[in-house]
Amino acid sequence: MFDEFLLRALLAGLGLTLATGPLGSFVVWRRMAYFGDATSHAAILGVALSFAFHLPLYLGILAVALSVALTVASLSGRGHQADTLLGVMAHSALALGLVSVSFLPSVRVDLSAYLFGDILTVGWSDVVWVWAGSGAVLGLLLWRWNGLVTATVNEELAQASGVNPGRERLALTLALGLTVALSIKIVGALLIAAMLIIPPAAARAFAATPERMAVLATLSGAFAVIAGLGASLRFDTPAGPSVVVAAFCLFLLSALRRSRV
């Protein structure tokens, strides 16, 4: 039984990195960290709605995450005010989710598992969901890769090349919403953005091309999952935060290498 739950956790974590590596690279390149925070914090509201309306958990989270991501995307071009609105939406959605659950007398659930993740409790259905969803995100990014990279470098150049920057932003928004839904049981709503940002940031020092950075970010995330699970089992620490700490250690090593170059 020990081997089985560990195998499920490992497969779920590795499957997630297929999405967070390439997608996180775009989050870093486009400086969308706050965008990711706003979307991930809203996942708790999705959890509350799932319980309230007896919906499948992933469906409720996905619906709310996509709704918030699309709303945030529509505000992304409004300068400093957009940053303020992002902050309002991120923390308000998180608070609304936490408060909403308290008004559901028939629901007795420990929300800490959704705030910080509990990868060691994932079932085989969760593993299938994570791999299928990550495959969909990866397929979308590969399909739109050239357009996404061009629009990230220069939107005017993208338009001149026949690429619609708005369509590429929408693709990223959809990918981000789906990734948030995938991540909720693994690292939790409060740490999803960390898995999107830290592995690509660690890979950046070793990458000369966008493709290499995406691959290295995926490998960095995979290493963080393996090391974090190992540390969690060895030192009896929370699994989700341990994975993020392992990713942070990789980032520190990357920063040290960059400072010596």
Side-chain angles (χ1 to χ4, degrees), residues 57-79:
L57 180 64
Y58 287 121
L59 180 60
I61 295 172
L62 180 60
V64 173
L66 286 177
S67 298
V68 171
L70 290 170
T71 302
V72 169
S74 70
L75 302 174
S76 61
R78 299 185 183 179

Side-chain angles (χ1 to χ4, degrees), residues 87-254:
V88 170
M89 292 183 63
H91 303 296
S92 297
L94 176 61
L96 280 171
L98 294 172
V99 171
S100 297
V101 171
S102 67
F103 285 102
L104 302 174
S106 61
V107 175
R108 292 292 180 268
V109 62
D110 181 12
L111 286 179
S112 63
Y114 300 103
L115 290 170
F116 302 105
D118 195 357
I119 190 174
L120 297 179
T121 65
V122 298
W124 286 114
S125 61
D126 297 313
V127 173
V128 172
W129 164 251
V130 168
W131 276 87
S134 294
V137 170
L138 183 60
L140 176 62
L141 294 178
L142 290 175
W143 176 45
R144 304 304 311 166
W145 184 264
N146 290 334
L148 285 168
V149 172
T150 304
T152 299
V153 173
N154 190 305
E155 291 196 353
E156 293 181 358
L157 175 62
Q159 289 178 328
S161 303
V163 175
N164 184 346
R167 183 176 58 194
E168 308 308 328
R169 282 195 299 270
L170 177 61
L172 281 180
T173 299
L174 295 175
L176 183 59
L178 181 54
T179 302
V180 166
L182 297 175
S183 307
I184 190 71
K185 278 194 172 183
I186 297 177
V187 290
L190 298 183
L191 298 175
I192 294 171
M195 286 303 292
L196 285 169
I197 297 168
I198 299 178
R204 201 170 195 172
F206 303 94
T209 65
E211 292 79 11
R212 176 176 289 185
M213 180 167 164
V215 171
L216 290 178
T218 302
L219 293 176
S220 297
F223 176 84
V225 167
I226 295 170
L229 285 176
S232 175
L233 292 171
R234 174 67 177 83
F235 301 108
D236 195 24
T237 55
S242 296
V243 170
V244 175
V245 170
F248 176 64
C249 291
L250 280 179
F251 173 77
L252 290 180
L253 292 174
S254 171

Side-chain angles (χ1 to χ4, degrees), residues 7-83:
L7 177 62
R8 290 196 301 264
L10 183 61
L11 288 175
L14 294 178
L16 181 64
T17 63
L18 293 177
T20 57
L23 180 60
S25 297
F26 283 105
V27 170
V28 170
W29 294 330
R30 287 174 169 255
R31 300 179 182 178
M32 294 170 60
Y34 216 178
F35 187 111
D37 271 335
T39 307
S40 59
H41 286 182
I44 293 299
L45 182 56
V47 172
L49 292 178
S50 296
F51 288 133
F53 295 102
H54 306 288
L55 297 172
L57 180 64
Y58 287 121
L59 180 60
I61 295 172
L62 180 60
V64 173
L66 286 177
S67 298
V68 171
L70 290 170
T71 302
V72 169
S74 70
L75 302 174
S76 61
R78 299 185 183 179
H80 180 69
Q81 186 182 8
D83 292 339

